[in-house]
Amino acid sequence: MNKSIIMRDDDKSFIYKEIENKMNKSIKEIKKLYQATIDGGDPIDFHSKCDNIPNTLVLIKSEDNKRFGGFTPLSWKSEGEYLNDNENKTFIFSLDNKQIFQLKDGKNALYLSKKSGPCFGYGPDIGILGNPIDGKKLHLMQTTFYNKERNDIYLTDYQGRILIKALEYEVFQILFY
């Protein structure tokens, strides 16, 4: 695995266990596909490295050092559409709070657009809307995903729609046995 600069060692068992449970498979390998500060933060850079690749883990660190992201078995594409995940395997998470947020009903798991990087949920719940390293283009608005233990828990301290800057984001492909 090419090392993540966002995820710490104590985060790995938390996230990897959830991915393995969702996919009902063991992780064989983790391969870094993209790092915004190295590969370019624009959506075209993300799509050139990540389109048509299933089982991706997205990690984000915001300007206020919050760490969060999402996993999806679905493939990213450049077409402008919402993708459903009828098997409800797509989820978002907070690394800082060790919280998992599930899809409510499988609908609108991902938003795909050539003008956006990875976008989870309708709204989007987490969305890279341009280059989040250069400006306030990281969108957070929790509407599609929820915490099944407590409905009043949010991905970050923010509630409602917010646009902030990201310090970094990375995308990894998860390969299974």
Side-chain angles (χ1 to χ4, degrees):
M1 170 182 161
N2 300 351
K3 191 164 173 63
S4 169
I5 63 168
I6 297 171
M7 185 164 46
R8 299 187 295 245
D9 287 339
D10 65 320
D11 300 320
K12 291 176 185 176
S13 62
F14 163 68
I15 290 302
Y16 297 165
K17 179 181 172 187
E18 186 68 23
I19 292 170
E20 289 178 333
N21 287 341
K22 286 279 189 190
M23 299 302 290
N24 200 24
K25 297 176 185 175
S26 295
I27 295 173
K28 177 181 178 182
E29 185 182 348
I30 299 164
K31 181 177 160 185
K32 187 182 270 190
L33 301 174
Y34 174 82
Q35 184 176 332
T37 56
I38 291 173
D39 297 316
D42 289 321
I44 194 166
D45 302 317
F46 161 76
H47 287 290
S48 72
K49 301 266 187 184
C50 301
D51 275 8
N52 303 309
I53 298 173
N55 304 317
T56 53
L57 173 67
V58 176
L59 301 172
I60 301 166
K61 186 173 184 179
S62 66
E63 64 185 332
D64 58 353
N65 291 310
K66 303 288 185 208
R67 298 171 314 118
F68 48 91
F71 169 80
T72 186
L74 307 172
S75 295
W76 299 104
K77 296 180 175 39
S78 297
E79 294 95 33
E81 65 177 337
Y82 282 96
L83 275 186
N84 296 334
D85 181 354
N86 296 326
E87 296 181 8
N88 279 337
K89 293 184 178 185
T90 299
F91 65 91
I92 61 174
F93 55 86
S94 166
L95 289 174
D96 299 319
N97 300 326
K98 303 289 187 266
Q99 296 286 330
I100 300 291
F101 299 85
Q102 311 293 336
L103 267 171
K104 291 180 182 173
D105 58 11
K107 293 183 178 152
N108 303 321
L110 303 179
Y111 176 68
L112 308 175
S113 171
K114 66 181 177 184
K115 296 180 182 177
S116 300
C119 292
F120 291 86
Y122 183 84
D125 291 45
I126 299 174
I128 304 290
L129 308 175
N131 186 337
I133 309 299
D134 289 345
K136 294 185 182 284
K137 301 206 174 137
L138 169 58
H139 184 272
L140 301 171
M141 184 174 90
Q142 206 160 328
T143 59
T144 310
F145 293 84
Y146 74 105
N147 182 287
K148 66 181 177 183
E149 281 84 35
R150 289 189 49 201
N151 223 11
D152 62 337
I153 299 266
Y154 293 92
L155 183 65
T156 64
D157 297 336
Y158 309 120
Q159 295 180 24
R161 181 178 184 268
I162 185 162
L163 285 167
I164 58 175
K165 188 175 177 180
L167 297 177
E168 184 65 272
Y169 85 95
E170 305 168 309
V171 182
F172 295 85
Q173 180 182 25
I174 309 294
L175 302 168
F176 299 96
Y177 285 102

